[in-house]
């Protein structure tokens, strides 16, 4: 029975924007070698989006071929991202196969889609979209109840108004007691020092995060 399921899942097709090996730039796992599987399509349009190339570009690949590409890198840590990876129903076959094969899997989601179908062997990094993203009305707040200790919520902060909104959400939903909380400045729009000062002044129980890939690789580099 298991073999049949595995074969079926391997045949599931996904539209993939890119697969590459790099250093994880975000989350508490920042700095770790990681295989990135970026899925095509997104249902949101954040004002500061840095992966708009994933909205449409991509090729159809069966899960079996994706697994082969991932395994060839010889790295045990895999990030499934986008775009919005949860838009393609078949992503659950990919995540299940990766977990079955012993990969440590993280999933990045914009936070507008239901987390319930997700294989919870995977760690979740879920955005709560701040007002400055233009997508604040899309947050699926029911997802907060599904977050676990090892998961993380991420606020991408463009200005003081976004910071105040984030702090309010952290307090109202007691996020720090539920999961990790990341605050990340919009690269090039908000100086990290300002965000650090606000966090320290408020004794906010969060992790300030910089997207370290933006400091390592050339601007607008792809596949890194
Ligand atoms: S959810 Fe992510 S990929 Fe989609 S528009 Fe926002 S930043 Fe871009």
């Amino acid at each position: 029975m298991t073999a049949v399921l595995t074969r079926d899942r391997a045949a599931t097709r996904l539209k993939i924007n890119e697969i590459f090996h790099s250093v994880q730039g975000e989350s508490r796992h920042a700095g770790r070698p990681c295989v990135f599987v970026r899925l095509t399509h997104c249902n949101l349009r954040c004002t500061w989006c840095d992966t708009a190339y994933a909205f449409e570009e991509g090729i159809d690949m069966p899960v079996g071929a994706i697994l082969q590409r991932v395994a060839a890198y010889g790295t045990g840590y895999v990030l499934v991202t986008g775009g919005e990876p949860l838009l393609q129903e078949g992503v659950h076959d990919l995540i299940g196969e990766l977990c079955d094969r012993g990969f440590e899997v993280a999933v990045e989601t914009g936070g507008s889609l239901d987390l319930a179908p997700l294989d919870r062997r995977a760690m979740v990094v879920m955005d709560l979209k701040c007002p400055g993203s233009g997508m604040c009305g899309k947050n699926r707040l029911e997802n907060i109840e599904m977050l676990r200790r090892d998961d993380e919520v991420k606020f991408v902060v463009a200005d003081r108004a976004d910071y105040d909104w984030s702090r309010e959400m952290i307090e109202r939903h007691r996020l720090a007691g539920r999961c990790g909380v990341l605050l990340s400045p919009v690269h090039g729009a908000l100086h990290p020092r300002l965000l650090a000062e606000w966090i320290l002044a408020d004794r906010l129980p969060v992790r300030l995060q910089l997207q370290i890939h933006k400091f390592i690789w050339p601007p607008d580099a792809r596949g890194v």
Side-chain angles (χ1 to χ4, degrees), residues 57-199:
E57 290 174 24
I59 56 167
D60 261 23
M61 290 180 74
V63 164
I66 299 167
L67 293 167
Q68 278 182 3
R69 282 278 306 277
V70 169
Y73 288 113
T75 296
Y77 175 47
V78 181
L79 176 69
V80 178
T81 186
E84 171 50 71
L86 302 186
L87 262 187
Q88 298 187 58
E89 206 175 312
V91 75
H92 300 295
D93 288 346
L94 172 64
I95 293 167
E97 280 295 311
L98 287 167
C99 291
D100 283 357
R101 290 165 192 233
F103 288 98
E104 180 184 352
V105 181
V107 179
E108 282 184 344
T109 172
S112 65
L113 302 177
D114 189 3
L115 289 185
L118 201 56
D119 188 321
R120 294 319 317 270
R121 292 175 291 178
M123 172 198 178
V124 174
V125 181
M126 185 185 86
D127 288 357
L128 281 174
K129 298 293 186 189
C130 296
S133 70
M135 295 292 118
C136 194
K138 303 286 188 183
N139 288 318
R140 192 177 193 282
L141 297 180
E142 300 93 313
N143 281 341
I144 291 174
E145 295 297 321
M146 284 177 255
L147 294 170
R148 299 178 179 175
R149 195 65 237 164
D150 285 343
D151 296 331
E152 292 177 340
V153 286
K154 179 174 77 171
F155 297 87
V156 180
V157 177
D159 53 23
R160 179 72 204 199
D162 276 0
Y163 172 78
D164 288 339
W165 185 86
S166 304
R167 188 187 54 201
E168 220 277 301
M169 291 293 285
I170 291 164
E171 289 168 2
R172 189 190 323 158
H173 295 281
R174 297 186 174 85
L175 292 177
R178 188 184 293 278
C179 61
V181 182
L182 309 169
L183 260 64
S184 186
V186 175
H187 190 75
L190 175 64
H191 198 290
R193 191 180 60 232
L194 262 184
L195 184 53
E197 287 171 356
W198 298 338
I199 290 169

Side-chain angles (χ1 to χ4, degrees), residues 42-46 48-52 55 82-84 110 127 129 135:
C42 186
N43 56 324
L44 303 184
R45 292 292 182 267
C46 303
W48 35 253
C49 180
D50 56 2
T51 49
F55 291 165
E84 171 50 71
D127 288 357
K129 298 293 186 189
M135 295 292 118

Side-chain angles (χ1 to χ4, degrees), residues 30-44:
R32 292 181 60 187
C34 178
V35 181
F36 292 73
V37 181
R38 188 183 309 286
L39 275 72
T40 305
H41 303 307
C42 186
N43 56 324
L44 303 184

